[in-house]
Amino acid sequence: MTTSTLAVSPSNASLRPVLLSAVFGAALLFFAGFSQPDALHAATHDTRHATGFPCH
Amino acid sequence: MSKTLLSGGLIAGALAGVVVALLQLWLIQPLIIEAERYETGELALPLVQTEDQPGMSTTIQPDDMQIEGTHLSRAGLTVIFLTLTWCGFGLLAGASMSAAQMSTNVRPFSAVGIAVSGFAVAFLAPALGLPPELPGMPAANLSSRQLWWILTLVATAAGLALTLRFENWAARGVALAVISLPHVVGAPTVPVAAPMIPPDLAGLYVARVLGVNFLGWLVLGALLERLLAGPLGRKLPTYRKMLD
């Protein structure tokens, strides 16, 4: 029986958390600052005005 | 490493977000509410008064600036979404620090360095073309402003990354061109119109938003430096080995 090991190159292993962090961060910013549905716009209105994001 | 980067970015962002939210409720929210009274026509500048909407006092009375009880849920939502927004800034700044450390022999990060870079990229550069606007201020089409805002952030971040990665004058020239490009193209604008809200209210608001966001980035920079620069620094030999 052979033990299978998951081959992960060092660069991929190091890049993954960086990419994950960047994608998660960008998604949060887009959700809170840029998404357009009316309900979300009302809830995030003052946040957008306080952060300098385009609003209205 | 994965845990450190994600949790560090989230914790630093959330704490900075709470600080910004408190400052927002104190310094910025009253100005937004005041502006909305002009936007809805409850108050009007003498300049733009109409027959059925006589001009009223443009002076901000202290009473007008109090956040009423009905605004509590609004304030709660703002605290939640500001915290989420700053978590996003924390994660992106953490990822940028990590990427910079992996690809360059960048100097150890300083709290002020992180703060100034983040503020320049995520606030100052977009604000040069699209200054923070109060409700009721004339503005161009929302989608085109959002697109220009995001492209300016990306261009400024790319320019900054170029100067960090390649420390020579040619790269700095290219970086300057990349950073300047959105400003040369120009942000979407609308023709100058008669103001609906008092210009001094708008001026006070822009100054406060600028100050609050800079303070937010100082807090975020200090926390990221404390939570991430150590672990990232210790990882540096591995990264260098990997690149060699």
Side-chain angles (χ1 to χ4, degrees), chain B residues 59-148:
Chain B
T59 329
I60 303 166
Q61 301 299 327
D63 283 349
D64 295 336
M65 298 180 70
Q66 296 302 316
I67 300 171
E68 295 158 27
T70 48
H71 291 129
L72 261 179
S73 63
R74 178 174 173 169
L77 283 170
T78 304
V79 172
I80 291 168
F81 280 103
L82 266 177
T83 306
L84 286 179
T85 300
W86 282 81
C87 282
F89 283 146
L91 286 168
L92 278 172
S96 307
M97 286 165 66
S98 188
Q101 196 101 356
M102 285 166 78
S103 60
T104 69
N105 55 351
V106 74
R107 281 76 51 199
F109 300 108
S110 74
V112 174
I114 300 165
V116 171
S117 307
F119 178 73
V121 168
F123 186 88
L124 195 58
L128 289 180
L130 293 172
E133 66 204 29
L134 275 171
M137 285 170 75
N141 173 271
L142 178 62
S143 300
S144 55
R145 278 182 295 138
Q146 287 184 326
L147 183 65
W148 189 90

Side-chain angles (χ1 to χ4, degrees), chain A residues 1-51:
Chain A
M1 178 183 152
T2 54
T3 310
S4 64
T5 49
L6 191 63
V8 180
S9 74
S11 76
N12 280 345
S14 307
L15 266 181
R16 196 166 298 145
V18 177
L19 288 176
L20 188 67
S21 199
V23 169
F24 189 24
L28 274 180
L29 274 190
F30 183 81
F31 171 69
F34 289 87
S35 47
Q36 302 252 17
D38 283 348
L40 204 53
H41 174 267
T44 60
H45 176 269
D46 293 353
T47 295
R48 294 178 186 197
H49 279 286
T51 320

Side-chain angles (χ1 to χ4, degrees), chain B residues 149-232:
Chain B
W149 200 100
I150 292 169
L151 289 177
T152 304
L153 180 144
V154 171
T156 313
L160 203 62
L162 268 175
T163 59
L164 280 177
R165 179 68 185 87
F166 306 101
E167 294 184 30
N168 58 58
W169 286 105
R172 284 177 193 139
V174 175
L176 186 64
V178 171
I179 291 172
S180 309
L181 187 63
H183 304 284
V184 173
V185 172
T189 52
V190 284
V192 175
M196 261 183 76
I197 54 170
D200 54 349
L201 184 68
L204 184 63
Y205 163 77
V206 170
R208 286 187 177 179
V209 170
L210 199 135
V212 166
N213 278 273
F214 187 60
L215 275 174
W217 274 103
L218 282 178
V219 173
L220 185 60
L223 289 168
L224 284 175
E225 193 258 350
R226 184 139 187 103
L227 293 172
L228 290 186
L232 290 180

